[in-house]
């Protein structure tokens, strides 16, 4: 399922009811979300622990969405193969957790998944200059990773613009994803800055009128310039 406006929404399961994750995955797909975002946290890279490959494997049986797996863990290279085997379609590693980033990105692609790299708010995008050929997605974190429900940091908006410019200059079809504090109020600014994949947790799974109304509000406001 692809959207007519070219914008991809990736609902973050972190904000869903963990006792009903299968329902949350189905809700995302029937709401027209092409991606499903898995936040993997290890209690070391970020001060929180969330889900692992078994959640990916279990939900693979109920969803055909693109499984967008965001690893907020140290030594991600140790777990990539298991996540791909469990059903991940794309794996995004945090640049701050990778000593040998190019090797890690190549490993992801060699397993048949799309390779992504995430940048914390304080990390400069120029660090990606020599790995642009190895990337399918760049994730600009719009909050410090670790928790859902935070507010978008405005200083990340010029960074989104800078990353969009780097992608254009590279001539490569790299997605630009944003994650953290994306709501119907903030999404428009990130899209205008150059984002084309929106991760949203709280603003969808806790939308007062329900998930379907939340995703519609997000798309509408994101596309109204
Ligand atoms: C933050 C995670 C996000 C988080 C976003 O560490 O990477 O994916 O779930 O949550 P909201 O949309 O609630 O800010
Ligand atoms: Zn995430």
């Amino acid at each position: 399922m692809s959207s007519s406006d070219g914008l991809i929404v990736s609902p973050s399961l972190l904000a869903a009811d963990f006792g009903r994750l299968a329902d949350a995955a189905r809700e995302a797909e029937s709401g027209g979300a092409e991606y499903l975002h898995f936040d993997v946290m290890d209690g070391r890279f970020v001060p929180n622990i969330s889900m692992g490959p078994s959640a990916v494997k279990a939900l693979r049986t109920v969803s055909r969405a693109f499984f967008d797996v965001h690893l907020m863990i140290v030594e991600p290279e140790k777990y990539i193969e298991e996540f791909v085997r469990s059903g991940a379609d794309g794996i995004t590693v945090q640049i701050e957790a990778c000593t040998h980033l190019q090797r890690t990105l190549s490993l992801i692609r060699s397993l048949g998944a799309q390779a992504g790299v995430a940048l914390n708010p304080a990390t400069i995008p120029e660090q990606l200059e020599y790995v642009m050929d190895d990337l399918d997605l760049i994730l600009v974190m719009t909050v410090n990773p670790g928790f859902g429900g935070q507010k978008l940091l405005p200083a990340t908006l010029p960074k989104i613009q800078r990353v969009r410019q780097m992608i254009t200059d590279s001539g490569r079809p790299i997605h630009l994803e944003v994650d953290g504090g994306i709501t119907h109020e903030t999404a428009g600014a990130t899209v205008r800055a150059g984002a084309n994949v929106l991760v949203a947790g709280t603003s969808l799974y806790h939308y007062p009128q329900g998930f379907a109304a939340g995703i519609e509000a997000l798309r509408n406001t994101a596309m109204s310039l």
Side-chain angles (χ1 to χ4, degrees):
M1 205 186 311
S2 77
S3 73
S4 52
D5 51 26
L7 191 69
I8 295 170
V9 179
S10 190
S12 169
L13 290 171
L14 192 64
D17 176 349
F18 271 36
R20 297 176 51 245
L21 281 181
D23 292 339
R26 288 191 199 98
E27 217 170 7
E29 208 173 348
S30 60
E34 298 90 340
Y35 283 24
L36 192 62
H37 190 81
F38 290 77
D39 284 307
V40 177
M41 303 179 180
D42 63 354
R44 291 186 62 203
F45 182 76
V46 288
N48 197 3
I49 298 177
S50 58
M51 56 182 91
S54 51
V56 174
K57 192 172 180 185
L59 294 182
R60 193 70 282 182
T61 62
V62 304
S63 172
R64 288 157 307 175
F66 181 96
F67 278 11
D68 171 32
V69 176
H70 178 194
L71 299 182
M72 287 163 277
I73 63 176
V74 299
E75 300 181 301
E77 61 282 354
K78 286 189 180 171
Y79 303 95
I80 286 166
E81 191 172 349
E82 195 179 348
F83 276 102
V84 175
R85 239 189 298 119
S86 302
D89 297 298
I91 302 267
T92 297
V93 292
Q94 289 280 155
I95 192 171
E96 303 84 3
C98 294
T99 309
H100 305 287
L101 180 64
Q102 198 280 334
R103 178 184 288 158
T104 303
L105 296 173
S106 299
L107 170 66
I108 297 171
R109 279 189 170 171
S110 73
L111 295 166
Q114 292 194 18
V117 64
L119 307 172
N120 277 345
T123 302
I124 58 166
E126 283 71 17
Q127 288 199 34
L128 298 179
E129 189 174 346
Y130 301 106
V131 291
M132 295 299 276
D133 286 348
D134 305 291
L135 282 173
D136 299 296
L137 178 144
I138 299 171
L139 168 52
V140 175
M141 287 305 299
T142 39
V143 299
N144 288 296
F147 302 94
Q150 303 179 73
K151 275 200 170 15
L152 178 141
L153 297 166
T156 59
L157 292 171
K159 183 152 78 168
I160 298 166
Q161 283 179 329
R162 173 77 191 113
V163 172
R164 173 50 67 192
Q165 189 59 51
M166 288 172 68
I167 292 172
T168 304
D169 293 346
S170 77
R172 303 194 64 86
I174 300 171
H175 287 301
L176 203 176
E177 183 174 58
V178 287
D179 183 4
I182 304 298
T183 69
H184 60 281
E185 281 165 359
T186 60
T190 66
V191 172
R192 284 193 292 280
N196 75 300
V197 184
L198 304 179
V199 177
T202 306
S203 68
L204 296 180
Y205 286 108
H206 296 278
Y207 195 72
Q209 285 78 40
F211 184 93
I215 198 164
E216 203 189 323
L218 190 70
R219 273 191 188 285
N220 289 343
T221 54
M223 296 316 290
S224 62
L225 297 176

